[in-house]
Amino acid sequence: MEKHYFQPEIETMSQEEIRKIQSEKLVKQVKHVWDNVPCYRAKMEEKGVTPDDIKSIDDLHKLPFITKDDLRDQYPYGFLAVPQSECVRIQSTSGTTGRRVVAFYTQDDVNIWDECCARAIVAAGGTKDDVVHVSYGYGLFTGGPGLNGGSHMLGSLTLPMSSGNTDRQLQFMTDLGSTILCCTPSYAAYLGESARDRGILDQIKLKAGIFGAEAWTEEMRHEIEELLGIKAYDIYGLTEISGPGVSFECEEQRGMHINEDHFAAEIINPETGEVLPEGEKGELVFTCLDKAAFPLLRYRTRDITVLTREKCSCGRTHVRMRKPMGRSDDMLIVKGVNVFPSQIETVLLNNNYAPQYQIIVDRINHSDTIEVHVEMTEEMYADKSVSKESRERKLQAALKSMLGILVDVVLLAPKSIVRSEGKAVRIVDKRNLYKS
Ligand code: DLL
């Protein structure tokens, strides 16, 4: 099978070459940050580190971490490392859990980001002949602008749809023959459902999807692939580090290659900060090696994953990260038990429910309660031979066996959960545990 790369000379270079590039870039980057970001310089001084101590990528562990709280404390300009007049763009996080984080970009930073997204599109089989349908939100969210930039750089016909207006999405998709869909996995499932309901699935020419920005399971991947008749590729990224394209899946669909010439990755123990060896599960930490405006060093993502340097059949040599297995901060602790929403999703899909659900956690009389609201499929809803109560009991038992705790299950009629056009709202935690 012929292999396709956007930049073969970079994507297939040897480990030695990657480390050499990382070392050269890191030495320069640390000087740049030391000279231009007083709050990080203070952190380095506190740790007794100077730029002279950083001679290669092997010295990365000597540098202090940056956390989301640091970014919030320094909002908005504290981590800006170039004069504002050199910046051409900002993007921002949604700020649902506190103050927004604003990331700045020079034109070169935007080019790096576009290049990363172009690599992702090519890895999903994209060429300049494709019609790339971008249904991630545009604006402050990085999803739309990121994939849009990558598609332009590749020279594909780019449809800047943004999210929402499902009728228009489907009309453009069929009229213009979109071949690659980029959006959140939950919106892809919704678009698929809507196309099926309108009886137009056979008019859709999609061959691939590039889905990310939220956690999704293998079961959900299969469901979307089957519904839309496509291959569904995962893509990962975060605003602080640039946006989508920090890592992406290739045709192997077994982990996402990190663009290591731009971002150095480490896995740490989230409790102690100690760097863990390859193959161990822990918190992912990124260092931006060549971004100028917002060059975060050792940024703690809170995403829990595993890195592997096992050979990939696609020929890419860049390290792979497993699909994030949860976040060290939004993992739910219910009745003292750690609950990852992805475990619940796996049970629901294995039991043939639709990937439309909400987890509602509350605390009543000092005791945690957890309810899973999930939609029945049309077939289940129509089939009156099995009672709703009996279905609920069966699902409750399956969840108990996965999670070890009793969960209240509420089955709903099809289409009763409000659809999201961006990231799905999966968790409603009414306990306010993190408010002081
Ligand atoms: O979600 C950037 C993005 C846009 C990625 C489009 C992929 C596609 P933020 O809004 O800053 O940025 O959210 C970043 O989302 O730390 C992860 O917890 C989560 N996340 C992103 N991609 C994935 C993924 C964008 N593929 C946060 N799987 C990250 C699971 C993901 N979680």
Side-chain angles (χ1 to χ4, degrees):
M1 187 175 152
E2 206 189 328
K3 314 261 185 215
H4 295 282
Y5 309 102
F6 186 60
Q7 290 159 317
E9 69 290 359
I10 297 171
E11 294 180 87
T12 65
M13 65 175 40
S14 70
Q15 263 315 295
E16 219 178 28
E17 288 170 311
I18 293 172
R19 291 186 75 75
K20 187 162 172 275
I21 289 186
Q22 288 190 324
S23 294
E24 285 165 7
K25 289 187 177 180
L26 179 68
V27 169
K28 267 203 200 153
Q29 186 72 303
V30 170
K31 287 200 179 81
H32 171 57
V33 172
W34 173 269
D35 289 342
N36 296 294
V37 183
C39 65
Y40 195 75
R41 183 184 179 134
K43 266 180 178 276
M44 284 176 67
E45 282 170 342
E46 203 178 300
K47 233 185 154 209
V49 193
T50 71
D52 289 343
D53 297 313
I54 309 298
K55 298 194 167 56
S56 82
I57 195 72
D58 294 331
D59 297 320
L60 185 58
H61 67 98
K62 296 179 181 164
L63 292 167
F65 292 117
I66 299 175
T67 63
K68 198 158 195 153
D69 284 343
D70 293 328
L71 301 187
R72 288 185 182 132
D73 290 347
Q74 295 296 327
Y75 172 88
Y77 288 117
F79 277 91
L80 179 59
V82 297
Q84 191 204 290
S85 58
E86 286 182 29
C87 296
V88 297
R89 176 93 72 81
I90 69 150
Q91 304 287 161
S92 177
T93 56
S94 55
T96 44
T97 52
R99 237 162 156 187
R100 280 179 178 282
V101 170
V102 175
F104 298 84
Y105 304 74
T106 63
Q107 184 57 53
D108 285 345
D109 296 338
V110 174
N111 296 346
I112 291 171
W113 182 20
D114 289 352
E115 177 182 284
C116 291
C117 287
R119 288 181 193 171
I121 298 172
V122 174
T127 69
K128 64 181 279 304
D129 298 327
D130 277 294
V131 180
V132 178
H133 188 113
V134 185
S135 307
Y136 285 112
Y138 280 64
L140 288 171
F141 179 55
T142 54
L147 270 308
N148 193 95
S151 174
H152 268 226
M153 192 175 257
L154 182 58
S156 316
L157 176 60
T158 312
L159 308 192
M161 300 302 302
S162 199
S163 54
N165 200 337
T166 301
D167 281 328
R168 191 176 61 189
Q169 299 274 357
L170 293 175
Q171 188 177 353
F172 272 85
M173 199 177 276
T174 48
D175 290 354
L176 289 157
S178 305
T179 52
I180 299 183
L181 172 64
C182 308
C183 61
T184 54
S186 48
Y187 195 46
Y190 179 51
L191 283 173
E193 241 179 38
S194 309
R196 186 186 53 202
D197 291 351
R198 289 164 176 73
I200 56 166
L201 275 174
D202 59 342
Q203 295 170 41
I204 286 178
K205 306 244 169 6
L206 290 176
K207 63 176 186 188
I210 304 179
F211 306 135
E214 65 187 7
W216 55 310
T217 55
E218 280 305 312
E219 290 80 0
M220 180 134 175
R221 187 209 299 269
H222 295 144
E223 182 122 359
I224 297 173
E225 288 190 329
E226 217 162 279
L227 183 58
L228 284 167
I230 60 172
K231 210 163 159 175
Y233 296 85
D234 205 351
I235 184 166
Y236 167 91
L238 59 166
T239 315
E240 298 89 319
I241 301 301
S242 70
V246 172
S247 66
F248 59 84
E249 265 185 347
C250 61
E251 72 251 21
E252 262 296 295
Q253 294 180 308
R254 283 182 55 220
M256 295 178 271
H257 290 281
I258 294 173
N259 282 305
E260 280 192 282
D261 52 327
H262 298 302
F263 311 110
E266 300 168 278
I267 293 289
I268 62 162
N269 175 330
E271 308 293 324
T272 62
E274 172 207 1
V275 179
L276 299 176
E278 185 198 323
E280 283 199 25
K281 185 164 105 176
E283 181 180 340
L284 184 59
V285 172
F286 280 115
T287 293
C288 300
L289 294 169
D290 48 9
K291 277 171 56 192
F294 202 63
L296 300 189
L297 305 179
R298 302 198 85 204
Y299 181 68
R300 294 185 58 159
T301 64
R302 295 281 164 195
D303 290 315
I304 303 292
T305 186
V306 174
L307 298 182
T308 175
R309 290 201 176 273
E310 264 170 37
K311 203 163 175 238
C312 184
S313 68
C314 78
R316 285 178 185 77
T317 47
H318 290 184
V319 71
R320 271 175 296 163
M321 57 180 271
R322 282 244 308 258
K323 198 180 248 315
M325 297 138 94
R327 288 180 55 84
S328 62
D329 55 357
D330 78 4
M331 173 183 76
L332 289 165
I333 302 183
V334 182
K335 303 178 189 175
V337 174
N338 295 351
V339 175
F340 285 101
S342 59
Q343 295 175 300
I344 294 180
E345 185 177 301
T346 297
V347 173
L348 297 181
L349 294 177
N350 282 343
N351 284 274
N352 302 322
Y353 286 88
Q356 304 297 349
Y357 65 92
Q358 274 192 329
I359 303 163
I360 295 162
V361 186
D362 206 347
R363 185 162 285 181
I364 296 167
N365 295 332
H366 308 296
S367 176
D368 288 339
T369 60
I370 174 165
E371 273 181 11
V372 174
H373 291 201
V374 60
E375 284 180 11
M376 285 184 273
T377 59
E378 298 283 358
E379 297 77 54
M380 284 178 193
Y381 194 60
D383 175 8
K384 301 293 177 209
S385 68
V386 187
S387 74
K388 185 163 158 281
E389 291 69 28
S390 129
R391 286 186 198 280
E392 286 173 344
R393 275 198 302 276
K394 186 161 169 243
L395 191 51
Q396 190 174 45
L399 285 165
K400 170 105 197 297
S401 131
M402 168 70 100
L403 305 171
I405 52 170
L406 205 58
V407 166
D408 285 320
V409 172
V410 180
L411 292 185
L412 304 170
K415 311 238 157 47
S416 23
I417 291 180
V418 178
R419 299 301 193 255
S420 136
E421 292 166 350
K423 298 190 194 221
V425 182
R426 301 287 199 207
I427 303 166
V428 181
D429 193 339
K430 300 181 174 169
R431 297 174 299 178
N432 289 331
L433 296 180
Y434 302 104
K435 292 219 172 114
S436 49

